[in-house]
Amino acid sequence: MPKRSNMGPPWWHGRFQGRGYRITVPREAILDVLNRTSKHLSAEDIYLEVHKIYPHIGLTTIYRTLELLVHIGLVFKFDFGDGRARFELSEGPKGIRHHHHLVCTNCGRVIDYTDFIDDEIELLGRTEKGLSKKFNFKITNHLIQFYGLCDGCRDKK
Amino acid sequence: MPKRSNMGPPWWHGRFQGRGYRITVPREAILDVLNRTSKHLSAEDIYLEVHKIYPHIGLTTIYRTLELLVHIGLVFKFDFGDGRARFELSEGPKGIRHHHHLVCTNCGRVIDYTDFIDDEIELLGRTEKGLSKKFNFKITNHLIQFYGLCDGCRDKK
DNA sequence: AATATTAATGAAAACCATTTTCAATAAACT
DNA sequence: AGTTTATTGAAAATGGTTTTCATTAATATT
Ligand SMILES: [Mn+2]
Ligand SMILES: [Mn+2]
Ligand SMILES: [Zn+2]
Ligand SMILES: [Zn+2]
């Protein structure tokens, strides 16, 4: 089902060329699954989805591909505390969409939010600068997650 | 070696009483190890340390006790991305010392920092309020970590 | 102080997400 | 079309964590 609305190679092809990485069917299938969801899928989730169309693709390949995609920066890997890694495309055709997460500790639901991001970015910039100076630490990344009870869970407790 | 400078029950005893939890030798030993380090120990780290004094205490008990301590809020459990959970006392005799982490992605070193915490707390408060309202999400906790290269690793790359 | 109750423990086995191995396959280059 | 070598799939291994279950010991009761 990997059908794109307009012709031309998908926007991510450039990330593979020139680095010795090959564009393969499994890789396209995995990127396609990630590209078409807004959920935070586990390796097995992705495997099951890919399996519907390419039953011969194995779970091992899913893991290996995800590792590669994280390595080249196309995918983010998260740990929301349920014992399995979760993956999310780091950018879309329209560029990076920076956001943080709200994690429900009761049902595991994960909510993306971009509100307040500007204030956060502002603070993060200051903090990163200060920490870099104080600890001589070169910051490349940050992780911000809020935990609590989601809309559906807060009453039932 | 669990020797306290002055008499009286340790400050954490109150957390066990009244809840049906018993104060046992393994639990005291584990709390003692956590209380005397500023590092972020894994279950095995704690096991090895406890083992020096109580060789009969098993790794299973370490895991079970840590789970309990996290449950009653005496200990924080972290994932710094190296495949094993890390534990840290949530408070000391002098109260809670809120801090966040700087994680070196090269050597795994973890640095606690409390600088800029005030600004962060301020922002977090606003953000939590906004998010709570927008998503009807009851926030109980947050996780903030910065990743990058520490003093010893940034040059060698 | 002795006894009863039941939470806690330890050893071994099970669990399970992820990684490794290795022979077979298929992209990309000539 | 043929060659090179990155990639793949199946099976086995790995390793941190959890479960099982018989035994032990902390606390309550007498
Ligand atoms: Mn997200
Ligand atoms: Mn810390
Ligand atoms: Zn929920
Ligand atoms: Zn380092």
Side-chain angles (χ1 to χ4, degrees), chain B residues 5-50:
Chain B
S5 40
N6 29 26
M7 63 271 96
W11 56 271
W12 60 68
H13 276 203
R15 297 304 198 88
F16 286 82
Q17 263 117 27
R19 298 230 237 170
Y21 299 129
R22 295 175 179 176
I23 295 168
T24 66
V25 170
R27 288 173 183 180
E28 299 240 47
I30 291 166
L31 278 164
D32 190 62
V33 166
L34 287 171
N35 198 35
R36 99 175 47 256
T37 188
S38 64
K39 301 205 203 105
H40 302 82
L41 304 178
S42 67
E44 193 184 4
D45 291 337
I46 296 168
Y47 167 73
L48 292 172
E49 202 59 37
V50 166

Side-chain angles (χ1 to χ4, degrees), chain A residues 104-109 148-154, chain B residues 137:
Chain A
C104 179
T105 50
N106 184 242
C107 70
R109 184 174 163 204
L149 295 174
C150 78
D151 183 41
C153 292
R154 65 181 304 172
Chain B
F137 198 103

Side-chain angles (χ1 to χ4, degrees), chain A residues 137, chain B residues 103-109 148-154:
Chain A
F137 198 103
Chain B
V103 182
C104 179
T105 50
N106 183 242
C107 71
R109 185 175 163 203
L149 296 174
C150 77
D151 184 42
C153 292
R154 65 181 304 172

Side-chain angles (χ1 to χ4, degrees), chain B residues 43-151:
Chain B
E44 193 184 4
D45 291 337
I46 296 168
Y47 167 73
L48 292 172
E49 202 59 37
V50 166
H51 189 81
K52 293 178 185 169
I53 297 155
Y54 302 102
H56 64 93
I57 295 180
L59 184 54
T60 307
T61 297
I62 307 292
Y63 276 107
R64 269 191 299 232
T65 300
L66 287 170
E67 182 184 28
L68 171 66
L69 295 175
V70 168
H71 181 244
I72 65 181
L74 265 182
V75 163
F76 285 138
K77 181 179 184 177
F78 290 101
D79 167 32
F80 296 129
D82 66 341
R84 63 193 57 193
R86 306 243 159 214
F87 301 88
E88 182 178 32
L89 226 45
S90 64
E91 52 186 289
K94 38 196 177 309
I96 297 172
R97 115 200 128 87
H98 192 109
H99 67 274
H100 296 150
H101 294 118
L102 241 46
V103 182
C104 179
T105 50
N106 183 242
C107 71
R109 185 175 163 203
V110 176
I111 299 173
D112 290 348
Y113 75 90
T114 51
D115 316 86
F116 317 103
I117 281 284
D118 289 344
D119 280 354
E120 287 183 25
I121 300 296
E122 209 277 321
L123 172 68
L124 289 175
R126 265 188 293 137
T127 306
E128 291 188 13
K129 185 168 292 185
L131 291 174
S132 293
K133 186 158 293 179
K134 171 153 187 174
F135 296 105
N136 190 32
F137 198 103
K138 182 181 171 53
I139 293 176
T140 58
N141 215 338
H142 63 250
L143 174 69
I144 297 188
Q145 289 173 186
F146 289 95
Y147 294 91
L149 296 174
C150 77
D151 184 42

